[in-house]
Amino acid sequence: MQYWDSNFVNRSAIFEPFSFLRKYLTDFSCWPSVHDLNNLCTLRNQIIVTHSGKPVNFVSQQSGKQNREQKYESRIYLSGHIQTRAQNWHDFFNALVWQVFPQSKSILNQIHYRAQLTESKSNINNRCAIRDAATSFDESGVIVISSNRTLIQLLEHFQWKELFWRHRKSILSSMRFFVYGHGLYEKALNPYSGMTGKGIIFRVENDYFSKTLPDQLLSADKMLESFLSQTLLSSSTLTPIPLLGYPGWIRDNENEAYYDNKEYFRDQRRFNG
């Protein structure tokens, strides 16, 4: 899907983290420009900075041959410029994730930049483990937040039907999934069974869920920033999450039999295999 849809937030509950931006996005009758994306920060009195202290600015992607992955992350860190393709959902969602989770996006960029420097100095051609994990989470990450120890244990042990079906009411009251990866958001425009995220799990107190959505997201961003700066070591740190198991995220999961699909709701051995 490459045509513009100003009401994309209403397509699925997956887009809930962007719901408080709806009033700005619905004004666009066509694809937002980089100027429009930068203006979102101005309208919300928000200043986003990198860990190098540079104000974030979305800029048009440069043409010509270049090692995009290397120059992309380095340019963000050194100048604050985020190259953004026009009329492209993938890059558009990346810009929105910067709006919603600015602190953790900034630390992810720093992880990339520092790891690239190490790789360059050591003449390493392949991505190191920590940068591989950072890339995976940046594209496919999910923030899992719960105040219920039992739900967390079921998720960590891949007990999907027990979690999503038998504890359905508990999930809705005490467990939230916030999609982080902009690649997942692009997929969510046309969701399909098989969509799998890479989760980082946080346990919180019950009062977390009484906060407003913007406050929940702010807390999640702070927790994630701390985790990424101290704990992220490799992709094994991330937990596979079959996203469309979450109640209400696809109509099919209103039927118990949906969770019998072992090709999607795999056990731990099959995920790791």
Side-chain angles (χ1 to χ4, degrees), residues 192-210:
Y192 60 92
S193 291
M195 284 179 59
T196 301
K198 304 291 186 180
I200 294 176
I201 305 166
F202 299 103
R203 190 175 178 206
V204 297
E205 300 299 324
N206 288 325
D207 62 357
Y208 176 90
F209 299 97
S210 64

Side-chain angles (χ1 to χ4, degrees), residues 208-223:
Y208 176 90
F209 299 97
S210 64
K211 298 178 181 179
T212 64
L213 176 62
D215 284 343
Q216 288 185 38
L217 294 169
L218 178 62
S219 295
D221 191 27
K222 290 179 178 179
M223 288 187 287

Side-chain angles (χ1 to χ4, degrees), residues 21-35:
L21 298 174
R22 184 187 286 111
K23 62 182 178 181
Y24 307 109
L25 299 173
T26 53
D27 288 339
F28 299 127
S29 58
C30 57
W31 280 98
S33 65
V34 290
H35 171 76

Side-chain angles (χ1 to χ4, degrees), residues 144 146 148-168 170-171 175 177 201 239-242 266-268 271:
V144 178
S146 182
N148 187 314
R149 184 188 299 272
T150 298
L151 298 182
I152 292 174
Q153 290 176 338
L154 289 171
L155 187 149
E156 290 177 332
H157 290 89
F158 297 72
Q159 300 298 308
W160 306 120
K161 189 170 184 178
E162 184 74 16
L163 173 67
F164 290 129
W165 186 256
R166 298 192 176 92
H167 288 79
R168 207 167 182 82
S170 295
I171 282 186
M175 177 174 269
F177 286 3
I201 305 166
T239 301
I241 307 288
R266 302 178 181 182
D267 58 29
Q268 187 168 7
F271 264 120

Side-chain angles (χ1 to χ4, degrees), residues 93-162:
F93 285 131
N94 181 54
L96 292 194
V97 175
W98 271 98
Q99 300 272 347
V100 178
F101 300 110
Q103 296 181 60
S104 52
K105 284 289 280 187
S106 180
I107 196 69
L108 268 179
N109 171 246
Q110 180 176 266
I111 289 171
H112 275 293
Y113 177 72
R114 289 181 173 176
Q116 286 172 348
L117 286 181
T118 300
E119 291 166 2
S120 177
K121 290 177 182 177
S122 304
N123 292 317
I124 299 173
N125 294 322
N126 297 321
R127 284 189 309 213
C128 63
I130 190 169
R131 195 155 71 86
D132 190 51
T135 299
S136 183
F137 191 77
D138 201 20
E139 289 284 341
S140 302
V142 184
I143 306 171
V144 178
I145 295 180
S146 182
S147 58
N148 187 314
R149 184 188 299 272
T150 298
L151 298 182
I152 292 174
Q153 290 176 338
L154 289 171
L155 187 149
E156 290 177 332
H157 290 89
F158 297 72
Q159 300 298 308
W160 306 120
K161 189 170 184 178
E162 184 74 16

